[in-house]
Amino acid sequence: MAQQDSEQDENFTVSNDLIDLPGYKPPGTTTLTFDGLLKPPLKLREDLTEGCGGQLWPAGMVLAKYLLRERQLQLLKHKQILELGAGGGLVGLAIASHIRHGAEYDTVSKDTRIRITDQTPMFALMKQNTALNDLQDIVKPEVLDWGSSEMTDQPTPDVVLAADCVYFEPSFPLLLQTLQDLIGPNTVCFFCFKKRRRADMRFLKDAKKMFRVEEIADDPEKDNLEARSGLSQRSQSYASNVSTAATSVSIHGDIRSQLHGGYSHPLARAWQADRQLTKSMLVYPLFLTDNPDEEILVPSLPGQYQRGINRLPAFLEPLINKGLKSVILFGVPKQPRIKDALGTAADDANGPVIEGIQMLRRRFPSLYIICDVCLCEYTSHGHCGILCEDGTLNNAMSVDRLSDVALSYANAGAHCVAPSDMNDGRVRAIKLKLIEAGIAHRVMLMSYSAKFSGCLYGPFRDAAGSAPSFGDRRCYQLPPQARGLARRAIRRDIDEGADVIMVKPASMYLDIISDAKNIAPDLPVAAYQVSGEYAMLHAGARAGVFDLKAMAFEATQGILRAGATIVMSYFTPDFLDWLDN
């Protein structure tokens, strides 16, 4: 039997004579001017002996030509530059050569340093090409092994060059980790590869979750093709086949670099300053129902109402005339069977919040609109996210759902989204979706970072219809005694991209407000004087314990003294009158 198998295998053996051996480009030196952009020409040794990185790649040529144009070169002077997967060092050496032979060499070369890096097999070729062009004073060839412990010790470069620095798809996760290790808040990474593979597009999608990514429209060869549109079909086809059209991508810093949303509006800019109580510091909570003509007093919350959107204009217009600058919207769905386990009504295009945003933007364009982002008002169980079968929060599903809701509010026109759910990781998820949608630069993210569980929310739950149908929220809202945990939550939300940090409740947690201001001295700190605090002050005033106006000022000034610069308060309509007097 073994003999038969051997004969059968022999019958299917293919002779080496029938197999074409691959052809390799012989070693040699190439002279490059990059279409006349570089003088004198760059001399580059190509040698495939140690691997395919030793040859010229089209993406590297495209990126080098892009960077050699004057408007890009100005951005590279006086910078610390690192080239990843350099091979023979094409892009970094081209930039260095331009600097070496430029008129500003004496001043620019002193503080411009270019590190061209690759794995060990390419080191000799990088070193040879650096010497071949007499660039040792600017360029330093280095071995850089991605994923090694030395990556965490690397100095943060100003610019990273990565033209087709990895083509092997399984290495993409390691490349992303390498970029995370290298890229700082002010680093710009230039990427370039042919837009021809699904793997490349997946890499870009993953990169957009970690960094701010911009595709650069700069393809001179494409312009030339369009200019030659009068050529014959055969000529056009040939030109398309030889084109090296590539996708250039600029990756800017990490998620902590996203600042513009925090001061994109005049009111948001006013919130950046420490100041005494003014009207611009006040945010008024509104409860919007899905009955447009409804106006119902909330018995446990003196002077506060649930209102349909048709009732809002007449109510808000005199307040805006008195100086009301901002409101925060809470949806109150009341239609039969509107609530479900997933809170699907939260971002209903015909629901009270989205319709309210759109109406307020039309009627009161100067009004700054914040939207609370939570599911408790919309879920059948009254908890702040999606639940597992055992009744605990399903954090992953909840975060995905909440970030979709936040994006819907932002797309509808909200100036600010404010997640109050306290699920882990929701700030990062929301920020990333705002970035991917291209609107992070104009939407503020205000996080309820230190939201404590307790007994001060009863009147609010009456107003919003958000009381849980079973259990409580102690497993995701913070324990009242947990100062250290609150500090950790504040730091986490800052790292995840929050533009404003909020503490809730306010008066019982002045130490946490102070901690928030110390932890985040450059961020606005908000405090929510919650429904229970407001109701207690009214009850004390009715009992003759103190004057309501004097106590409201005292309580609010204590909040400001602790470090808050934004106050969510049901006293806002009163303060609009009191501050004028």
Side-chain angles (χ1 to χ4, degrees):
M1 188 67 180
Q3 177 66 27
Q4 290 177 352
D5 287 344
S6 175
E7 290 175 355
Q8 186 177 19
D9 291 343
E10 187 176 338
N11 290 336
F12 285 94
T13 299
V14 180
S15 168
N16 287 337
D17 295 337
L18 300 178
I19 302 173
D20 291 332
L21 293 174
Y24 292 101
K25 186 175 182 178
T29 300
T30 303
T31 301
L32 301 165
T33 67
F34 301 94
D35 295 339
L37 292 170
L38 185 63
K39 295 178 182 179
L42 182 72
K43 291 175 283 188
L44 203 76
R45 177 75 176 173
E46 293 185 82
D47 190 343
L48 296 174
T49 304
E50 298 295 338
C52 61
Q55 67 177 349
L56 298 180
W57 285 89
M61 294 292 293
V62 171
L63 183 57
K65 284 190 280 188
Y66 173 80
L67 294 173
L68 284 171
R69 296 187 182 91
E70 188 60 32
R71 63 181 183 274
Q72 273 68 246
L73 281 170
Q74 294 301 321
L75 302 176
L76 300 177
K77 293 176 180 177
H78 310 285
K79 294 292 192 294
Q80 302 299 305
I81 301 170
L82 183 142
E83 183 177 5
L84 285 176
L90 171 66
V91 184
L93 290 172
I95 294 168
S97 180
H98 187 280
I99 293 172
R100 178 71 175 79
H101 299 285
E104 303 174 61
Y105 169 67
D106 290 339
T107 57
V108 175
S109 64
K110 292 177 182 177
D111 52 8
T112 301
R113 288 293 177 268
I114 300 175
R115 299 160 59 204
I116 57 174
T117 70
D118 210 314
Q119 294 181 314
T120 302
M122 292 293 108
F123 180 70
L125 187 59
M126 292 189 294
K127 193 172 181 181
Q128 182 180 6
N129 281 331
T130 302
L132 190 62
N133 293 278
D134 191 24
L135 295 172
Q136 297 93 324
D137 57 337
I138 304 177
V139 177
K140 182 182 179 183
E142 294 181 12
V143 173
L144 191 63
D145 290 321
W146 301 354
S148 65
S149 58
E150 68 185 52
M151 288 300 304
T152 57
D153 299 327
Q154 292 293 318
T156 301
D158 300 307
V159 177
V160 174
L161 307 175
D164 242 351
C165 64
V166 59
Y167 198 76
F168 184 49
E169 182 181 344
S171 296
F172 279 170
L174 182 57
L175 173 58
L176 286 171
Q177 182 58 55
T178 299
L179 292 175
Q180 278 192 306
D181 291 338
L182 289 173
I183 290 178
N186 299 313
T187 303
V188 177
C189 174
F190 289 97
F191 231 94
C192 191
F193 46 70
K194 280 201 169 185
K195 199 168 187 177
R196 61 184 179 189
R197 302 191 307 161
R198 289 184 180 178
D200 298 334
M201 298 304 102
R202 282 197 298 271
F203 169 80
L204 266 186
K205 183 177 180 181
D206 291 338
K208 288 178 179 178
K209 295 177 182 179
M210 300 179 181
F211 311 101
R212 179 162 61 90
V213 178
E214 298 177 6
E215 293 200 25
I216 300 168
D218 190 327
D219 186 356
E221 294 183 76
K222 179 180 178 182
D223 295 340
N224 291 340
L225 287 178
E226 292 174 352
R228 294 199 299 269
S229 60
L231 296 176
S232 67
Q233 182 64 39
R234 179 178 178 183
S235 298
Q236 289 184 27
S237 175
Y238 174 75
S240 297
N241 289 335
V242 301
S243 171
T244 58
T247 299
S248 296
V249 174
S250 177
I251 297 176
H252 298 262
D254 62 17
I255 200 165
R256 290 171 294 181
S257 69
Q258 301 295 308
L259 303 178
H260 290 173
Y263 57 95
S264 59
H265 186 279
L267 182 60
R269 289 191 285 277
W271 285 345
Q272 301 294 332
D274 291 327
R275 50 203 299 195
Q276 296 298 313
L277 179 61
T278 63
K279 295 178 181 180
S280 64
M281 288 176 139
L282 297 166
V283 179
Y284 186 42
L286 293 176
F287 300 98
L288 304 187
T289 75
D290 51 10
N291 183 343
D293 299 308
E294 189 170 55
E295 189 170 59
I296 299 177
L297 179 68
V298 181
S300 57
L301 203 54
Q304 307 305 310
Y305 290 78
Q306 299 170 334
R307 289 184 173 88
I309 63 170
N310 290 346
R311 295 287 190 143
L312 283 181
F315 171 68
L316 287 176
E317 187 165 6
L319 297 180
I320 291 171
N321 290 337
K322 293 177 183 179
L324 177 66
K325 302 295 184 182
S326 180
V327 294
I328 181 168
L329 307 183
F330 297 91
V332 187
K334 292 186 172 183
Q335 298 300 319
R337 295 179 297 278
I338 192 68
K339 299 187 179 187
D340 59 30
L342 302 179
T344 53
D347 52 358
D348 182 359
N350 298 314
V353 174
I354 289 181
E355 286 193 340
I357 295 168
Q358 295 168 341
M359 184 277 292
L360 292 174
R361 289 297 300 264
R362 289 192 305 270
R363 293 292 299 270
F364 307 110
S366 65
L367 186 66
Y368 191 85
I369 301 168
I370 304 170
C371 286
D372 178 85
V373 180
C374 195
L375 298 183
C376 60
E377 305 104 302
Y378 305 96
T379 53
S380 51
H381 45 71
H383 282 280
C384 299
I386 298 171
L387 301 183
C388 299
E389 291 183 1
D390 63 359
T392 59
L393 271 182
N394 186 321
N395 195 87
M397 291 183 66
S398 299
V399 165
D400 190 50
R401 177 79 185 105
L402 287 156
S403 56
D404 283 343
V405 173
L407 183 60
S408 295
Y409 293 164
N411 283 328
H415 298 98
C416 173
V417 290
S420 61
D421 57 285
M422 293 299 288
N423 282 277
D424 288 333
R426 87 278 200 212
V427 173
R428 174 180 171 81
I430 292 170
K431 194 72 166 187
L432 288 172
K433 287 190 179 179
L434 293 174
I435 292 170
E436 288 179 353
I439 56 176
H441 65 286
R442 59 176 175 83
V443 178
M444 176 182 273
L445 204 171
M446 177 187 293
S447 174
Y448 289 68
S449 299
K451 179 180 178 181
F452 291 86
S453 63
C455 52
L456 289 171
Y457 302 131
F460 174 90
R461 291 172 183 172
D462 292 342
S466 62
S469 60
F470 67 91
D472 53 43
R473 295 170 179 157
R474 295 179 185 178
C475 289
Y476 47 97
Q477 294 179 359
L478 301 179
Q481 71 275 21
R483 184 177 185 179
L485 189 57
R487 291 167 65 91
R488 287 168 56 196
I490 290 166
R491 291 191 184 98
R492 175 197 64 187
D493 287 1
I494 294 169
D495 288 341
E496 290 188 4
D499 298 307
V500 178
I501 297 301
M502 189 196 297
V503 177
K504 177 183 179 182
S507 298
M508 281 69 170
Y509 296 91
L510 298 181
D511 59 328
I512 308 300
I513 297 173
S514 179
D515 285 345
K517 194 60 181 174
N518 289 332
I519 293 168
D522 300 322
L523 267 66
V525 173
Y528 199 139
Q529 188 182 53
V530 300
S531 58
E533 296 174 77
Y534 173 81
M536 283 195 300
L537 296 187
H538 270 271
R542 284 198 304 272
V545 177
F546 44 68
D547 176 74
L548 181 63
K549 176 181 175 181
M551 192 67 238
F553 267 105
E554 186 173 335
T556 306
Q557 286 165 347
I559 294 167
L560 300 182
R561 187 181 65 251
T565 53
I566 305 167
V567 182
M568 312 274 179
S569 176
Y570 300 97
F571 282 112
T572 296
D574 300 309
F575 276 128
L576 295 176
D577 290 326
W578 294 339
L579 288 170
D580 281 340
N581 299 320

